[in-house]
Amino acid sequence: VKAKAKKLTQGVAAPERAAVLGAGIMGGGIAYQSACKGTPIIMKDINENALMLGMSEAAKLLNKQLARGKIDGLELASIMSTIQPALHYASFEQVDMVVEAVVENPQVKATVLAETERHIRPDAILASNTSTIPIDRLAETLTRPENFCGMHFFNPVPRMPLVEVIRGAKTADATIAKAIAWASKMGKTPIVVNDCPGFFVNRVLFPYFAGFSLLLRDGADFRQIDKVMEKQFGWPMGPSWLLDVVGIDTAHHAQNVMAEGFPARMKKEYRDAVDVLFAAKRYGQKNQRGFWRWE
Ligand code: CAA
Ligand code: NAD
């Protein structure tokens, strides 16, 4: 497998300039990581406040590095200058690669991807950071599906090593190689996975959330479940904390895609824990209310 991967990526350079669509939890993290590792990036959102928040989160993380003496003031300014906030597609013809990280909604993503394809060069690569939506489904509206793949980062991007690179039926080897090259330049460990709802990691993670949902239904207290999973079992975060960090809205949308793909494995009662909070607009850390309060 290693030899095959080496052959695939031989001589393939990481993008010189990139762009990310969405300045939220994931888009902001991808922009920060890309800039820190030397790839200038445009960060585009449709919401000015989200864009400003994405920029200030990057500045906050860099200031932490500055306070620790890991970078100096000049480096901080230089890294920040390579993240270009944008509300429009101006300059997108300059980028070699775009990763889409907008809401986990198949219709919204399909529209955004098709729109982006019209603003980039024919040789530029387009990727989606979708958690669960099959790449072939997203590729349906594209005119160059060979230039499209999944590039699934994990939250928090600066800390999580894995990136799933997802190959669709029409994805070209050169596209996979470019995604691997960029993930590697960002200091990540890319793995190539086949296309299906949830890919690899979320086919493991969502059954875990389903187990959590069933425990709640059987009368367990979410605080106790978290305490046992963290303190006694030794995982870094319990399920309710992790769901709040991921975003209840994102988890809800992702569950729906998984349920469509695997109806027998994602029954309603497996999804209730997330769906009840979603209906109450408790989206987790991002709006200060989820299972926990995040003031
Ligand atoms: N963004 C950036 N950096 C962060 C961060 C964040 N949100 N949270 C923590 N960090 C950094 C801290 O700044 C700190 O950096 P330094 O080493 O430079 O000081 C470092 O991480 C360690 O921080 P802490 O000591 O506070 O935290 P920790 O040791 O408890 O580890 C963690 C933090 C790595 C996030 C750990 O809690 C963990 O692994 N949690 C589980 C995360 C997880 O499972 N993510 C996957 C979510 S699912 C997903 O992404 C897929 C999907 O499709 C939904
Ligand atoms: P988020 O809600 O934090 O951010 C989404 C951002 O997209 C918002 O700022 C919104 O304004 C912006 N947006 C919406 N429509 C847009 C458009 N047309 N053009 C540009 N920006 C637009 O969401 P997130 O958690 O960052 O998730 C983004 C994607 O990453 C989703 O597909 C999600 O499934 C995936 N993902 C999320 C996590 C996670 O833990 N949160 C992990 C891995 C993958």
Side-chain angles (χ1 to χ4, degrees), residues 20-30 44-51 86-87 89 100-105 108-109 111-113 115-116 128-133 151-157 202 205 242-243 245-247 249-251 253-254 286:
V20 61
L21 304 169
I25 300 173
M26 297 306 289
I30 293 166
K44 180 185 179 301
D45 207 292
I46 48 171
N47 177 324
E48 196 170 350
N49 287 339
L51 203 52
L87 288 168
Y89 287 101
E100 166 279 312
V102 309
V103 286
E104 186 73 353
N105 174 311
V108 174
K109 280 196 191 292
T111 305
V112 170
L113 287 165
E115 185 180 279
T116 307
S128 174
N129 184 52
T130 176
S131 296
T132 50
I133 307 164
M151 203 171 172
H152 186 204
F153 291 82
F154 294 85
N155 179 12
V157 177
N202 281 332
L205 187 60
L242 182 57
L243 279 165
V245 167
V246 163
D249 51 344
T250 299
H253 297 311
K286 68 173 68 163

Side-chain angles (χ1 to χ4, degrees), residues 17-295:
R17 290 185 65 79
V20 61
L21 304 169
I25 300 173
M26 297 306 289
I30 293 166
Y32 168 82
Q33 190 67 15
S34 178
C36 284
K37 298 294 181 181
T39 304
I41 188 160
I42 301 171
M43 177 166 65
K44 180 185 179 301
D45 207 292
I46 48 171
N47 177 324
E48 196 170 350
N49 287 339
L51 203 52
M52 290 306 109
L53 193 63
M55 293 301 286
S56 67
E57 284 297 317
K60 219 193 286 174
L61 288 172
L62 284 170
N63 272 304
K64 227 166 122 183
Q65 305 290 349
L66 177 71
R68 293 203 179 120
K70 290 189 177 164
I71 54 170
D72 60 32
L74 270 179
E75 283 168 309
L76 186 152
S78 150
I79 294 170
M80 277 310 289
S81 74
T82 61
I83 308 178
Q84 182 189 330
L87 288 168
H88 305 286
Y89 287 101
S91 308
F92 267 60
E93 78 285 348
Q94 292 170 15
V95 304
D96 309 312
M97 179 138 197
V98 182
V99 59
E100 166 279 312
V102 309
V103 286
E104 186 73 353
N105 174 311
Q107 282 76 38
V108 174
K109 280 196 191 292
T111 305
V112 170
L113 287 165
E115 185 180 279
T116 307
E117 200 187 38
R118 293 196 289 275
H119 289 88
I120 56 177
R121 294 193 316 265
D123 64 318
I125 304 298
L126 192 51
S128 174
N129 184 52
T130 176
S131 296
T132 50
I133 307 164
I135 292 309
D136 285 343
R137 180 168 173 190
L138 293 176
E140 277 167 13
T141 54
L142 297 178
T143 57
R144 298 188 293 273
E146 65 280 7
N147 286 4
F148 178 59
C149 68
M151 203 171 172
H152 186 204
F153 291 82
F154 294 85
N155 179 12
V157 177
R159 281 304 312 268
M160 304 304 279
L162 187 66
V163 175
E164 291 182 290
V165 175
I166 302 118
R167 185 194 283 281
K170 296 185 180 162
T171 306
D173 279 354
T175 301
I176 296 290
K178 198 80 174 173
I180 291 176
W182 191 26
S184 305
K185 188 175 174 195
M186 279 200 254
K188 302 296 173 195
T189 306
I191 58 165
V192 180
V193 300
N194 288 327
D195 195 24
C196 69
F199 317 120
F200 165 57
V201 169
N202 281 332
R203 287 183 66 175
V204 175
L205 187 60
F206 278 84
Y208 165 66
F209 291 145
F212 168 63
S213 191
L214 288 175
L215 277 178
L216 294 187
R217 189 185 156 94
D218 290 346
D221 182 318
F222 71 89
R223 286 162 289 232
Q224 255 190 322
I225 299 173
D226 269 30
K227 193 172 160 199
V228 171
M229 291 309 289
E230 288 167 17
K231 302 268 184 298
Q232 280 92 37
F233 194 64
W235 282 15
M237 292 174 177
S240 69
W241 194 274
L242 182 57
L243 279 165
D244 272 4
V245 167
V246 163
I248 300 295
D249 51 344
T250 299
H252 166 80
H253 297 311
Q255 279 189 167
N256 287 347
V257 177
M258 298 291 285
E260 240 179 81
F262 304 107
R265 299 184 203 171
M266 290 293 292
K267 293 178 185 153
K268 183 187 170 301
E269 60 267 35
Y270 301 177
R271 294 182 271 136
D272 278 347
V274 165
D275 290 350
V276 165
L277 291 199
F278 179 77
K281 296 191 166 45
R282 297 181 75 106
Y283 299 148
Q285 198 174 29
K286 68 173 68 163
N287 75 346
Q288 288 88 48
R289 292 274 192 287
F291 286 94
W292 302 86
R293 284 170 178 254
W294 293 85
E295 277 109 7

